[in-house]
Amino acid sequence: MDISTTLQESKSFSEVIHLTDNIKWSSAANHYCLKQYRLESGYLGASQSGVEYLSVLVTNGVLEVSNAGFRMQLRCEEGCHILPRSRFMLRSTTERATFLVASAREHSIESVDSAHESEEMDFMPLSAYTVFKPWGWERWYTQNAPHRERFALKLIYMNKGHQSSLQSHVHKSETNMVIHGRAKVLSG
């Protein structure tokens, strides 16, 4: 088990890393895409060009997502679902904002002009559904999303000194990323 660190070219972001491009998919039904974006301070007019929802989760800094009708600031471990074909503005209100974007298919966030003048962006808040475990808890961010049967975006909090049970899945692929602290992951 490993996470890809394929750096993708981007004129809009200081860095885009495709975290799942190394997974060999048995079928298109299993496919999901997870990318990490870094945005330096400043504005970026953007559009979500795909036909799938995007699930956005901030992992560092503060990311402002806005359009003509709304403005929200997302901090670490906060995010939203962005509906297909939306136009919006992104702004890092800190020196740099790092955030994950997950979707059921390959996606891209493209730079556009005058996103504030477009129709309002459709979005939904991330789910706060939490499952408590003997070792900590899981927050299932995509529990309220239409694509939840295709992939799940979760925050897993593990208490220091605890461990989860070993897992084995025939038809499931997982991408894990440590945001805070350190973790020992067994694979095989």
Side-chain angles (χ1 to χ4, degrees), residues 118-181:
S118 65
E119 57 189 67
E120 284 191 41
M121 175 182 110
D122 289 323
F123 76 100
M124 296 183 331
L126 294 178
S127 170
Y129 180 75
T130 303
V131 178
F132 293 94
K133 306 279 188 166
W135 43 260
W137 50 266
E138 298 178 344
R139 182 161 302 128
W140 297 14
Y141 289 122
T142 48
Q143 186 68 13
N144 64 338
H147 54 55
R148 72 177 179 267
E149 73 283 348
R150 301 279 304 277
F151 73 93
L153 181 62
K154 298 178 184 179
L155 175 67
I156 299 174
Y157 180 86
M158 180 104 24
N159 293 320
K160 185 175 182 174
H162 288 76
Q163 66 184 35
S164 67
S165 58
L166 290 175
Q167 313 240 340
S168 177
H169 305 288
V170 176
H171 298 290
K172 181 178 173 183
S173 179
E174 292 188 359
T175 302
N176 297 291
M177 179 179 201
V178 176
I179 297 173
H180 304 290

XYZ file of all heavy atoms in Angstrom, residues 118-181:
540
model
N -20.782 34.797 -12.270
C -21.544 33.650 -12.744
C -22.674 33.333 -11.771
O -22.771 33.910 -10.699
C -20.631 32.442 -12.897
O -20.157 32.061 -11.637
N -23.519 32.385 -12.152
C -24.608 32.002 -11.255
C -24.039 31.372 -9.994
O -22.915 30.920 -9.969
C -25.566 31.054 -11.956
C -24.903 29.804 -12.487
C -25.833 29.007 -13.363
O -26.179 29.511 -14.437
O -26.181 27.892 -12.965
N -24.836 31.348 -8.959
C -24.363 30.874 -7.669
C -23.890 29.430 -7.712
O -24.443 28.609 -8.422
C -25.472 30.990 -6.623
C -25.680 32.398 -6.153
C -26.574 32.452 -4.941
O -26.433 31.603 -4.045
O -27.403 33.360 -4.901
N -22.879 29.175 -6.931
C -22.359 27.826 -6.807
C -23.307 27.022 -5.928
O -23.777 27.508 -4.908
C -20.979 27.878 -6.157
C -20.394 26.523 -5.871
S -18.813 26.695 -5.065
C -19.232 26.126 -3.441
N -23.583 25.817 -6.336
C -24.360 24.908 -5.500
C -23.383 24.099 -4.655
O -22.412 23.554 -5.169
C -25.188 23.964 -6.369
C -26.335 24.680 -7.055
O -26.931 25.569 -6.429
O -26.625 24.346 -8.212
N -23.634 24.040 -3.354
C -22.766 23.282 -2.476
C -23.577 22.722 -1.321
O -24.704 23.147 -1.066
C -21.625 24.154 -1.943
C -22.052 25.093 -0.860
C -21.809 24.780 0.463
C -22.699 26.277 -1.153
C -22.216 25.638 1.473
C -23.105 27.140 -0.149
C -22.854 26.815 1.165
N -23.000 21.760 -0.662
C -23.583 21.179 0.546
C -22.474 21.100 1.591
O -21.320 20.857 1.241
C -24.073 19.745 0.295
C -25.193 19.614 -0.686
S -25.818 17.913 -0.888
C -24.478 16.833 -0.559
N -22.814 21.260 2.861
C -21.785 21.073 3.894
C -21.389 19.596 3.966
O -22.166 18.719 3.591
C -22.480 21.520 5.175
C -23.938 21.376 4.890
C -24.110 21.595 3.410
N -20.191 19.339 4.445
C -19.781 17.965 4.691
C -20.601 17.406 5.850
O -21.003 18.130 6.755
C -18.298 17.887 5.045
C -17.304 18.259 3.959
C -15.882 18.165 4.502
C -17.463 17.384 2.736
N -20.830 16.125 5.832
C -21.543 15.457 6.913
C -20.693 15.473 8.184
O -19.463 15.407 8.120
C -21.828 14.010 6.517
O -22.314 13.276 7.605
N -21.340 15.562 9.315
C -20.650 15.485 10.605
C -20.913 14.138 11.278
O -20.630 13.961 12.460
C -21.115 16.625 11.506
N -21.443 13.171 10.513
C -21.754 11.846 11.054
C -20.481 11.241 11.651
O -19.451 11.135 10.983
C -22.310 10.959 9.940
C -22.665 9.563 10.378
C -23.816 9.318 11.122
C -21.852 8.483 10.038
C -24.151 8.032 11.520
C -22.182 7.195 10.433
C -23.325 6.975 11.171
O -23.655 5.711 11.564
N -20.542 10.859 12.920
C -19.369 10.350 13.626
C -19.660 8.967 14.194
O -20.726 8.730 14.754
C -18.962 11.311 14.760
O -18.728 12.610 14.194
C -17.695 10.853 15.461
N -18.702 8.067 14.008
C -18.790 6.710 14.548
C -17.688 6.565 15.586
O -16.505 6.748 15.273
C -18.607 5.662 13.424
C -18.645 4.257 14.005
C -19.646 5.833 12.339
N -18.074 6.261 16.812
C -17.101 6.104 17.889
C -16.625 4.660 17.937
O -17.410 3.732 17.807
C -17.706 6.547 19.222
C -17.979 8.023 19.247
C -19.231 8.513 18.911
C -16.964 8.920 19.549
C -19.479 9.874 18.896
C -17.203 10.285 19.535
C -18.463 10.763 19.210
N -15.325 4.502 18.091
C -14.673 3.196 18.115
C -13.883 3.065 19.418
O -13.570 4.069 20.054
C -13.705 3.072 16.921
C -14.318 3.352 15.560
C -15.047 2.161 15.053
C -15.495 2.386 13.607
N -15.918 1.184 12.974
N -13.499 1.834 19.799
C -12.694 1.661 21.018
C -11.346 2.396 20.941
O -10.798 2.792 21.964
C -12.467 0.150 21.095
C -13.552 -0.458 20.266
C -13.879 0.556 19.202
N -10.830 2.621 19.746
C -9.527 3.255 19.559
C -9.612 4.750 19.240
O -8.603 5.422 19.094
C -8.751 2.548 18.451
C -9.559 2.201 17.234
C -10.084 0.973 16.934
C -9.962 3.068 16.173
N -10.788 1.031 15.746
C -10.717 2.313 15.259
C -9.746 4.416 15.897
C -11.259 2.845 14.101
C -10.287 4.959 14.741
C -11.026 4.168 13.864
N -10.805 5.296 19.079
C -10.951 6.710 18.713
C -12.298 6.931 18.036
O -13.323 6.483 18.539
N -12.293 7.563 16.855
C -13.539 7.802 16.129
C -13.269 8.067 14.652
O -12.136 8.330 14.254
C -14.332 8.968 16.742
C -13.549 10.231 16.986
C -12.936 10.589 18.155
C -13.294 11.292 16.061
N -12.317 11.804 18.013
C -12.528 12.261 16.739
C -13.627 11.520 14.736
C -12.087 13.435 16.130
C -13.196 12.687 14.124
C -12.444 13.633 14.820
N -14.333 7.976 13.863
C -14.287 8.289 12.428
C -15.379 9.312 12.128
O -16.503 9.165 12.585
C -14.585 7.047 11.571
C -13.618 5.923 11.718
C -14.018 4.715 10.868
O -15.179 4.639 10.405
O -13.160 3.851 10.685
N -15.053 10.337 11.372
C -16.060 11.277 10.888
C -16.242 10.994 9.400
O -15.307 11.071 8.625
C -15.622 12.722 11.096
C -16.698 13.705 10.636
C -16.553 15.084 11.201
N -16.573 15.042 12.661
C -15.629 15.618 13.422
N -14.629 16.266 12.884
N -15.715 15.551 14.729
N -17.446 10.623 9.009
C -17.767 10.231 7.644
C -18.263 11.460 6.889
O -19.450 11.744 6.844
C -18.817 9.140 7.629
C -18.395 7.844 8.268
C -17.311 7.621 9.070
C -19.071 6.602 8.162
N -17.269 6.318 9.465
C -18.352 5.665 8.919
C -20.218 6.190 7.509
C -18.743 4.334 9.033
C -20.612 4.872 7.627
C -19.868 3.966 8.369
N -17.368 12.190 6.266
C -17.706 13.442 5.589
C -18.657 13.263 4.414
O -19.420 14.156 4.082
C -16.441 14.141 5.099
C -15.593 14.734 6.195
C -14.265 14.358 6.359
C -16.107 15.695 7.057
C -13.473 14.921 7.345
C -15.326 16.257 8.055
C -14.012 15.870 8.185
O -13.236 16.420 9.166
N -18.609 12.127 3.752
C -19.428 11.930 2.547
C -20.719 11.163 2.833
O -21.399 10.735 1.906
C -18.613 11.198 1.457
O -17.967 10.061 2.040
C -17.560 12.109 0.864
N -21.091 11.015 4.091
C -22.310 10.285 4.436
C -23.552 10.934 3.811
O -24.512 10.253 3.495
C -22.456 10.221 5.961
C -23.597 9.374 6.441
C -23.405 7.888 6.158
O -22.327 7.433 5.807
N -24.467 7.128 6.293
N -23.543 12.248 3.584
C -24.690 12.958 3.020
C -24.561 13.221 1.518
O -25.411 13.880 0.927
C -24.896 14.298 3.733
C -23.726 15.247 3.521
O -22.615 14.838 3.205
N -23.972 16.527 3.712
N -23.538 12.716 0.888
C -23.285 13.017 -0.531
C -23.917 11.984 -1.455
O -23.993 10.803 -1.108
C -21.782 13.066 -0.780
N -24.369 12.408 -2.626
C -24.989 11.479 -3.577
C -24.035 10.383 -4.064
O -24.468 9.335 -4.478
C -25.396 12.372 -4.743
C -25.276 13.757 -4.267
C -24.388 13.779 -3.088
N -22.730 10.636 -4.011
C -21.751 9.665 -4.522
C -21.209 8.752 -3.437
O -20.231 8.059 -3.630
C -20.596 10.397 -5.193
C -19.955 11.436 -4.311
N -19.454 11.168 -3.060
C -19.761 12.743 -4.506
C -18.965 12.258 -2.533
N -19.145 13.244 -3.386
N -21.846 8.695 -2.273
C -21.269 7.976 -1.135
C -21.102 6.475 -1.381
O -20.306 5.833 -0.718
C -22.054 8.241 0.134
C -23.396 7.596 0.201
C -24.044 7.887 1.559
N -25.341 7.305 1.630
C -26.462 7.922 1.313
N -26.430 9.162 0.912
N -27.620 7.311 1.398
N -21.831 5.909 -2.331
C -21.642 4.491 -2.619
C -20.383 4.255 -3.451
O -19.903 3.144 -3.556
C -22.872 3.894 -3.327
C -23.054 4.312 -4.765
C -23.607 5.724 -4.961
O -24.071 6.334 -3.985
O -23.563 6.215 -6.089
N -19.824 5.304 -4.050
C -18.628 5.170 -4.897
C -17.334 5.317 -4.105
O -16.328 4.707 -4.422
C -18.656 6.219 -6.011
C -19.874 6.152 -6.921
C -19.788 5.105 -8.006
N -18.656 5.206 -8.861
C -18.563 6.013 -9.915
N -19.544 6.817 -10.231
N -17.484 6.006 -10.655
N -17.334 6.193 -3.087
C -16.161 6.363 -2.245
C -16.585 7.044 -0.952
O -17.655 7.628 -0.869
C -15.053 7.179 -2.944
C -15.350 8.643 -3.070
C -14.926 9.537 -2.113
C -16.057 9.122 -4.157
C -15.214 10.886 -2.225
C -16.337 10.466 -4.292
C -15.911 11.356 -3.310
N -15.724 6.960 0.043
C -15.980 7.617 1.330
C -14.770 8.469 1.681
O -13.631 8.043 1.495
C -16.221 6.580 2.416
N -15.037 9.661 2.141
C -13.988 10.539 2.640
C -14.192 10.618 4.151
O -15.243 11.053 4.621
C -14.107 11.928 1.998
C -13.057 12.961 2.391
C -11.661 12.491 1.982
C -13.367 14.300 1.727
N -13.190 10.125 4.901
C -13.319 10.034 6.351
C -12.117 10.679 7.027
O -11.003 10.617 6.520
C -13.359 8.580 6.817
C -14.512 7.771 6.319
C -14.389 6.341 6.832
C -15.463 5.443 6.284
N -15.283 4.063 6.790
N -12.371 11.233 8.186
C -11.310 11.646 9.086
C -11.277 10.594 10.186
O -12.292 10.345 10.842
C -11.588 13.030 9.683
C -10.584 13.494 10.723
C -9.225 13.744 10.088
C -11.076 14.757 11.407
N -10.140 9.960 10.358
C -9.997 8.930 11.384
C -9.103 9.485 12.473
O -7.972 9.900 12.206
C -9.411 7.630 10.793
C -10.357 7.078 9.716
C -9.144 6.612 11.899
C -9.811 5.888 8.968
N -9.636 9.528 13.689
C -8.874 9.995 14.835
C -8.534 8.785 15.689
O -9.422 8.085 16.174
C -9.670 11.010 15.663
C -8.886 11.496 16.856
C -8.008 12.564 16.729
C -8.993 10.856 18.081
C -7.269 13.002 17.815
C -8.252 11.287 19.174
C -7.392 12.352 19.031
O -6.653 12.774 20.096
N -7.250 8.540 15.839
C -6.786 7.391 16.610
C -6.139 7.907 17.891
O -5.236 8.743 17.843
C -5.754 6.609 15.795
C -5.208 5.409 16.474
S -5.803 3.797 15.951
C -6.372 3.934 14.323
N -6.635 7.442 19.040
C -6.033 7.811 20.323
C -4.608 7.270 20.389
O -4.340 6.140 19.943
C -6.854 7.257 21.484
C -8.223 7.896 21.582
O -8.370 9.092 21.386
N -9.223 7.090 21.883
N -3.701 8.048 20.949
C -2.301 7.648 21.073
C -2.209 6.315 21.816
O -2.875 6.101 22.829
C -1.508 8.720 21.806
C -0.030 8.441 21.861
C 0.728 9.585 22.487
C 2.215 9.270 22.478
N 3.005 10.399 22.953
N -1.403 5.403 21.251
C -1.197 4.099 21.871
C -2.241 3.052 21.514
O -2.166 1.926 21.969
N -3.236 3.409 20.714
C -4.287 2.478 20.308
C -4.066 2.022 18.863
O -3.274 2.599 18.132
C -5.664 3.132 20.439
C -6.098 3.295 21.851
N -5.593 4.274 22.679
C -6.985 2.600 22.586
C -6.151 4.181 23.860
N -7.012 3.168 23.841
N -4.807 1.003 18.468
C -4.740 0.511 17.091
C -6.109 0.010 16.679
O -6.922 -0.378 17.503
C -3.706 -0.597 16.952
C -4.059 -1.864 17.713
C -2.958 -2.914 17.625
O -1.790 -2.573 17.601
N -3.356 -4.169 17.582
N -6.335 0.031 15.376
C -7.576 -0.539 14.850
C -7.326 -2.012 14.563
O -6.192 -2.490 14.626
C -8.007 0.189 13.568
O -7.078 -0.074 12.537
N -8.376 -2.726 14.219
C -8.211 -4.124 13.831
C -7.619 -4.182 12.421
O -7.700 -3.221 11.658
C -9.565 -4.841 13.868
O -10.471 -4.197 12.999
N -7.012 -5.311 12.090
C -6.521 -5.503 10.727
C -7.717 -5.631 9.789
O -8.733 -6.229 10.146
C -5.638 -6.749 10.638
C -4.292 -6.640 11.346
C -3.569 -7.981 11.298
C -3.432 -5.572 10.698
N -7.601 -5.074 8.606
C -8.703 -5.056 7.650
C -8.297 -5.763 6.365
O -7.151 -5.688 5.957
C -9.062 -3.609 7.315
C -9.189 -2.724 8.518
C -10.549 -2.117 8.651
O -11.295 -2.048 7.708
N -10.870 -1.684 9.843
N -9.249 -6.411 5.741
C -9.028 -7.041 4.440
C -10.284 -6.839 3.602
O -11.389 -7.132 4.052
C -8.744 -8.533 4.618
O -8.597 -9.152 3.366
N -10.116 -6.300 2.408
C -11.254 -6.015 1.535
C -10.999 -6.590 0.150
O -9.927 -6.418 -0.410
C -11.478 -4.512 1.404
C -11.631 -3.809 2.713
N -12.751 -3.937 3.493
C -10.800 -2.981 3.396
C -12.606 -3.209 4.583
N -11.431 -2.624 4.554
N -11.990 -7.285 -0.412
C -11.869 -7.843 -1.752
C -12.150 -6.778 -2.804
O -11.453 -6.654 -3.798
C -12.827 -9.049 -1.936
C -12.780 -9.558 -3.353
C -12.472 -10.143 -0.950
N -13.178 -5.972 -2.595
C -13.612 -4.993 -3.594
C -13.522 -3.565 -3.076
O -14.387 -2.754 -3.338
C -15.053 -5.271 -4.030
C -15.227 -6.599 -4.665
N -14.716 -6.905 -5.900
C -15.826 -7.728 -4.223
C -15.006 -8.150 -6.209
N -15.675 -8.673 -5.196
N -12.478 -3.256 -2.343
C -12.367 -1.916 -1.790
C -10.914 -1.481 -1.832
O -10.012 -2.256 -1.533
C -12.870 -1.929 -0.338
C -12.844 -0.597 0.347
C -13.427 -0.756 1.754
C -13.295 0.490 2.568
N -13.798 0.294 3.925
N -10.717 -0.237 -2.214
C -9.384 0.340 -2.208
C -9.390 1.519 -1.246
O -10.387 2.234 -1.157
C -9.018 0.816 -3.621
O -7.741 1.389 -3.611
N -8.312 1.713 -0.515
C -8.228 2.807 0.440
C -6.979 3.625 0.200
O -5.937 3.087 -0.144
C -8.196 2.275 1.878
C -9.483 1.643 2.319
C -9.481 1.295 3.806
O -8.462 1.524 4.486
O -10.518 0.800 4.274
N -7.114 4.912 0.375
C -5.986 5.831 0.352
C -5.972 6.527 1.704
O -6.959 7.141 2.091
C -6.139 6.867 -0.780
O -6.249 6.176 -2.020
C -4.948 7.807 -0.819
N -4.881 6.375 2.428
C -4.773 6.955 3.766
C -3.692 8.025 3.762
O -2.648 7.854 3.131
C -4.410 5.881 4.800
C -5.496 4.840 4.911
O -6.569 5.124 5.402
N -5.223 3.635 4.437
N -3.957 9.108 4.479
C -3.005 10.204 4.565
C -3.016 10.723 5.995
O -4.073 11.014 6.543
C -3.413 11.305 3.602
C -2.538 12.494 3.598
S -3.173 13.654 2.376
C -1.722 14.598 2.098
N -1.851 10.810 6.617
C -1.751 11.329 7.975
C -1.693 12.851 7.891
O -0.836 13.413 7.215
C -0.505 10.777 8.698
C -0.361 11.400 10.075
C -0.571 9.263 8.787
N -2.636 13.513 8.574
C -2.686 14.977 8.571
C -1.934 15.527 9.777
O -1.183 16.485 9.677
C -4.144 15.474 8.553
C -4.825 15.015 7.262
C -4.211 16.985 8.687
C -6.305 15.311 7.208
N -2.149 14.933 10.943
C -1.479 15.361 12.182
C -0.908 14.121 12.860
O -1.550 13.088 12.916
C -2.467 16.013 13.144
C -3.206 17.174 12.580
N -2.617 18.376 12.306
C -4.503 17.320 12.247
C -3.510 19.207 11.818
N -4.668 18.591 11.775
N 0.284 14.254 13.404
C 0.876 13.161 14.159
C 1.575 12.147 13.268
O 1.922 12.431 12.122
